Amino acid sequence: MSGHLHGVVHNTRADPARVLEELKRQTLEQLGGLPGSLYGPIEDALKADSLKGDGRNHQFEDQAALWILRQQQASHVMAFRQQIGQGFEAFRAPGAAVGGVGGSPLQLVGEQQLAFDLDGERLVELLEQRYQRPLEMVRARLQMLAQAMGAPEGVNPVGPYRLIKAFTSVYTEAQVTESLRMRLFRQYEQELARLLGDMYARLNQVLATAGYGMATGAPPAGPARAAAEERRDRNTLDGVFDTVPHREAAASVPHDYQQGSYPPAPGQGSGYAAQGGAVSQVEVAAMAAELAELRTQLHAWREGLIKGGGLPPGQQPQRTMAQRRELRVDEVVGMASLLQPEPPDAFARALAVSGRLGETIRDQLFDGARRLGFNPDQTCFSPEEDDAIDLVALLFDSLFRNHALQDRARRVYARLVMPYVKVALTDNAVFVKREHPARRLLDAITEACEGNDGETPQDRDLLERASDISQRIVSDYNEDLAVFELAHAELDAMLAQHRRRIELQEQRAAKATYGRERLGAARSQADQAVRERIADGKLTSAVADFISTPWRHHLVQVLLRENEDPKRRAQAMALGDALVMADKLAAENRGRELADQLLALQPIIIQCLSSSGLDESAAQHAMAGLVRALATPDKERADHPQPSAAEVEEDVAEERRRYLADDAAQGGHDPLLAERMRQLEPGDWLRLTSLQGETVAVKVAWLSPLTSRLLLVNRRGVRALVASAEELAMLAASGRLVVGAERTAFDEAMRQVRRHLDRVI
């Protein structure tokens, strides 16, 4: 891959028409599918709002409008790609371009189009400010490209103005509500923020490589030029590492917008080095500081293992001994390439034992060194190579320990160990850059394998696809990151359906939990009502049995189905009071009043018995039995037992035994922690550890409007625990709940690696 830097002019320039076509191809490849990627997150947000039950009237209209947009997704994507393409054609021949995307400026403008235009203008200004520096570089190089084509300079085809106009032209004719329009713009802005930094860097690299750049002096030719660029990369990176405060620089960059490229490792020849000119100095400083801090932790951790005897003698760094030559990066990469296609049995066994993977990687590399003619007694790894090996080992170990991966997934990861060692050796950006292709692929493979026991055909297909892709990486990866990009795109397309199933699983879990809560609340209210009436005095067995069984069941049904109808609820409650009064009239031998009372109650009593599943004949028979019991004034009357507490369902009891048994027995909670738990919202990730020590990543999927309890689901959308804020506070106080887990597996694994290093140090 090219390692040319921005600002270097080649002796010859490529054909401008071909360069423009390449820019168009890469732009469409990066942005062409954007309209189709907007609807899923918006649908998730609408569902989350509906589950909150905030009572907004426009949710149904938004969902209906979004459903219509989803049906037209293919045409929207096609129209968007066409508009992007027209931007490049307008740049090629400005005189033939139509004045403005979306119609003639003299045309009457509707209210919806005006709203889209106003929102679009605001977004254009925001993007112009955010990407000012890379845009200036793109514009300057496009101007040189236009001059080479002999055409006047046109509108930047990849600038914010064109990208926003292409977006608004797709939706101005669609029927969308005001709130849905705002959601579309917000999601489009988020998608652009995720893609534009990397895309502008790529386009700048294409233009610079083709010779359309600003001269900075004659570059050295041939091998001398490559060596000069390598020295410049090394000096620049070392200078940043030595001068930038780690924490402060890293904190100065918004975490979600680190879109630029990261500094290359010394000797790296990947395309990421060429993209460095599109990154601000603050971003470079933050990325370099993060890498430097990570390496400092590694060095302290490794030094501690050496002093404590935690490393076998054959694995300890031997750079301080005489006659030891540090291996070059390309030599170690050659060893890894030799070992890459070999069976991964040794790595699979190492993954089964925590802490053994780094030792196994070094053993295998030493074996590769012998095969290539290197004497391990006379050579050693450099500090950077030791860092790469240890980071890969810690990363894979963390992934396998903390993400509920089944044993059958171990071989999938074992195959990837050596390719990722090569990636770490040649491109350390993988550990800090969220959009790195190798990082995204590992996230997708973990998503496919985590908690997947292959029970359903879809799960088995997902495991097989992940296994096939890991095998393809082994066979195809030769220091070209495009292999990871293509593999990720293929697996991510399959995961899209898997995510949809997870969303449905989460919704079913939320609805089932809400249904259980409503049923539990109704039963509690009914039991309380029964207690109040039975505790009033001595009753005949017939009346007490009627109140504690048919009437209680009828009251539960009314509370569940018609709780919002106060008349039906009052009528059901009044029946219980009337039966107690009828029993009192019978005890006082007030026959006429009792007869009038029972005649008035007969329709309601029959209805109550029918709600318990009795047909009309059985209801009439039960009614007759009640009348016979009340017809005898001296019928025995006694106190009757209170209804027992409702039994907890077995699956609910099991999850509470799994996570809450000890904490519930201790009782008490920290009010500050409980308040922190009440601030959690759907979508927040946590790490939950069971009483048996098993740790799983869980997400807050739903907040109960009835009890304020939180539904936690795992990464496959399966219910893990439903608990109150106070119960979660007890879990957090005992160290078995950690708030703030990362959304992606790689991020969370690196977070665990840093915590492990900090803890050991």
Side-chain angles (χ1 to χ4, degrees), residues 394-568:
L394 291 169
L395 169 70
F396 274 74
D397 195 58
S398 177
L399 281 171
F400 215 79
R401 298 289 168 268
N402 299 308
H403 287 83
L405 296 170
Q406 308 295 325
D407 285 342
R408 63 190 305 173
R410 188 185 304 145
R411 197 169 183 84
V412 174
Y413 285 83
R415 290 194 197 105
L416 295 172
V417 168
M418 202 53 73
Y420 274 82
V421 168
K422 289 172 61 177
V423 172
L425 287 168
T426 57
D427 189 1
N428 54 22
V430 68
F431 296 111
V432 290
K433 184 170 188 265
R434 286 192 167 188
E435 293 302 315
H436 195 286
R439 185 170 183 148
R440 296 174 68 189
L441 177 62
L442 203 56
D443 281 335
I445 289 177
T446 305
E447 184 179 351
C449 295
E450 184 172 12
N452 189 346
D453 51 11
E455 287 187 353
T456 66
Q458 295 86 355
D459 288 342
R460 288 193 291 272
D461 289 344
L462 205 54
L463 283 174
E464 291 173 4
R465 182 65 60 87
S467 179
D468 293 343
I469 283 176
S470 70
Q471 189 62 56
R472 189 185 313 164
I473 294 297
V474 168
S475 60
D476 294 351
Y477 175 54
N478 190 21
E479 301 174 58
D480 185 356
L481 294 177
V483 174
F484 290 93
E485 293 180 356
L486 293 173
H488 171 262
E490 178 183 334
L491 184 57
D492 193 61
M494 189 173 186
L495 283 170
Q497 301 177 0
H498 174 70
R499 295 184 191 112
R500 179 60 179 162
R501 288 195 296 271
I502 290 177
E503 291 172 8
L504 295 175
Q505 183 76 16
E506 289 180 7
Q507 293 173 30
R508 285 194 290 267
K511 291 178 180 178
T513 304
Y514 188 45
R516 283 176 172 174
E517 287 191 347
R518 292 187 63 233
L519 178 60
R523 285 174 173 172
S524 296
Q525 292 181 51
D527 288 341
Q528 181 61 29
V530 170
R531 292 189 192 97
E532 291 173 355
R533 282 148 186 83
I534 291 181
D536 281 348
K538 298 182 182 298
L539 298 173
T540 61
S541 296
V543 172
D545 291 344
F546 189 94
I547 288 177
S548 60
T549 307
W551 180 72
R552 176 187 177 277
H553 180 79
H554 175 65
L555 187 56
V556 169
Q557 298 298 315
V558 170
L559 292 173
L560 281 176
R561 298 176 182 175
E562 303 176 69
N563 195 32
E564 296 181 359
D565 187 349
K567 183 178 179 181
R568 289 296 305 275

Side-chain angles (χ1 to χ4, degrees), residues 89-168:
E89 294 305 317
F91 178 82
R92 187 194 307 270
V98 179
V101 181
S104 168
L106 298 179
Q107 197 174 18
L108 290 177
V109 179
E111 290 185 6
Q112 179 164 299
Q113 182 176 339
L114 181 60
F116 268 94
D117 289 343
L118 292 174
D119 289 342
E121 289 176 5
R122 287 191 287 269
L123 186 51
V124 168
E125 293 177 3
L126 178 65
L127 295 176
E128 289 277 3
Q129 295 174 1
R130 182 179 297 167
Y131 299 102
Q132 180 179 1
R133 183 177 177 184
L135 279 172
E136 288 174 355
M137 299 178 68
V138 170
R139 290 188 187 112
R141 287 173 169 146
L142 286 176
Q143 184 178 7
M144 300 178 68
L145 189 70
Q147 292 173 357
M149 291 190 299
E153 182 183 1
V155 177
N156 183 355
V158 294
Y161 173 77
R162 275 290 181 186
L163 297 181
I164 301 306
K165 280 297 183 182
F167 172 74
T168 56

Side-chain angles (χ1 to χ4, degrees), residues 296-361:
T296 301
Q297 289 178 301
L298 273 173
H299 297 163
W301 167 72
R302 205 155 44 227
E303 194 68 25
L305 288 180
I306 295 171
K307 291 179 180 179
L311 284 178
Q315 307 301 326
Q316 295 185 9
Q318 299 174 352
R319 290 181 287 275
T320 58
M321 298 178 63
Q323 304 300 323
R324 293 272 175 176
R325 179 181 70 85
E326 289 187 2
L327 292 165
R328 299 194 311 272
V329 169
D330 59 310
E331 292 172 339
V332 183
V333 169
M335 301 171 194
S337 298
L338 175 67
L339 299 167
Q340 184 170 303
E342 296 190 353
D345 298 337
F347 299 131
R349 289 192 295 270
L351 283 171
V353 181
S354 179
R356 288 292 306 276
L357 185 57
E359 178 182 340
T360 304
I361 293 174

